Amino acid sequence: MIEALLGLDIGTTSTKAVLFGVEGQEIARASSHPYQNQTPQPGWVEQDPEEVWQAVLSVLRQIVDQSKDQFTIRAICMAAQSGSLLPADQSGEPVYPIVTWLDGRSEKLISDWKKSGLEQQVRSLSGWSLFSGLPLPTIAWLRLHNPEVFQKAKHYFSVNDFIAYRLTGEFVSNPSNAGGMQLVDLRTGTWSPELCELAGITPNMLSQLQPSGTIIGKIKPEIQAFTGLNAE
């Protein structure tokens, strides 16, 4: 069996995958159908987390079909859309759609925060100016305007750690995607208690932060069986 590496790109519009040999030669590539953005109200932009997950499974199956069982996948590396938010329950199951970084429902809240002088505090901690669509104001918006979902949500994912959880069962994120949630203290590289408090949550409701490139865990056996992956 020839050793290979698989790259996943879980973008804002679709998911793509490329399989490379360990010496860099391209072996196979695949892409999913575009996701359907949902706009239940003007300015809102949501995605179905199950549709995104099925897109991931689809490209994995395509890669397996193309590689014809000649390759052992030594590692899977993933890039994902940043700045989107998925509220989930304690077991990691979604309780609301993905609120994408394109979403504008928190614009008035952000305007109020700016008027109260909060922007400088947020920027000094996170490195980000206030921006509608990012998880910090989106979580705060849910707390104010959708308390039912806010009460159900016990864990908040970005897209990268949601897919990582589905693949491995581990709640792990990386500094880059976590930074896009506007909840990280840029001085420490950890979740900021102050920013989490502004959102109305605590750091333990977020995935554990690990450096990019860290091995998260093994692909779950049922995912290997479903996709046909020969992963080690």
Side-chain angles (χ1 to χ4, degrees):
M1 298 286 280
I2 300 172
E3 295 184 341
L5 306 172
L6 178 63
L8 277 176
D9 177 9
I10 302 145
T12 303
T13 58
S14 66
T15 290
K16 298 165 282 294
V18 182
L19 186 68
F20 290 98
V22 293
E23 296 182 354
Q25 72 276 25
E26 182 178 320
I27 298 165
R29 63 171 57 200
S31 61
S32 72
H33 295 296
Y35 317 137
Q36 299 296 313
N37 284 339
Q38 303 164 356
T39 54
Q41 293 194 36
W44 295 21
V45 185
E46 301 175 347
Q47 291 175 346
D48 180 353
E50 296 303 326
E51 183 180 10
V52 176
W53 171 238
Q54 289 302 317
V56 172
L57 295 178
S58 172
V59 298
L60 292 176
R61 286 196 296 265
Q62 291 178 58
I63 290 292
V64 169
D65 289 343
Q66 292 179 52
S67 60
K68 299 180 175 60
D69 296 325
Q70 299 176 25
F71 304 92
T72 296
I73 297 175
R74 287 296 185 185
I76 297 176
C77 187
M78 176 175 63
Q81 59 168 294
S82 186
S84 300
L85 176 76
L86 177 60
D89 62 18
Q90 193 70 44
S91 65
E93 288 305 304
V95 297
Y96 198 69
I98 297 169
V99 181
T100 77
W101 61 271
L102 298 167
D103 192 274
R105 73 187 67 190
S106 62
E107 285 182 354
K108 184 181 183 306
L109 174 62
I110 286 176
S111 177
D112 292 341
W113 280 359
K114 287 181 177 179
K115 290 176 183 176
S116 68
L118 274 173
E119 183 162 39
Q120 182 54 43
Q121 176 189 353
V122 170
R123 186 169 183 175
S124 66
L125 287 168
S126 71
W128 291 72
S129 298
L130 289 170
F131 178 78
S132 61
L134 294 183
L136 166 60
T138 299
I139 297 171
W141 186 94
L142 289 171
R143 175 168 54 87
L144 293 171
H145 300 286
N146 197 331
E148 181 179 356
V149 168
F150 185 77
Q151 290 299 320
K152 289 180 179 178
K154 305 301 179 184
H155 192 89
Y156 288 93
F157 287 117
S158 186
V159 172
N160 76 294
D161 51 334
F162 168 62
I163 298 301
Y165 174 71
R166 282 286 177 93
L167 289 172
T168 69
E170 301 292 336
F171 292 93
V172 176
S173 188
N174 61 75
S176 177
N177 286 106
M181 296 185 79
Q182 206 174 25
L183 294 168
V184 171
D185 187 328
L186 60 81
R187 298 163 299 184
T188 65
T190 61
W191 298 117
S192 165
E194 295 88 351
L195 293 172
C196 288
E197 182 179 6
L198 180 60
I201 63 173
T202 55
N204 62 5
M205 299 172 73
L206 302 166
S207 295
Q208 181 184 7
L209 294 183
Q210 294 287 350
S212 298
T214 298
I215 296 173
I216 295 174
K218 292 186 176 182
I219 304 298
K220 293 191 288 188
E222 60 266 33
I223 304 301
Q224 291 194 44
F226 184 79
T227 60
L229 280 172
N230 183 15
E232 292 189 355

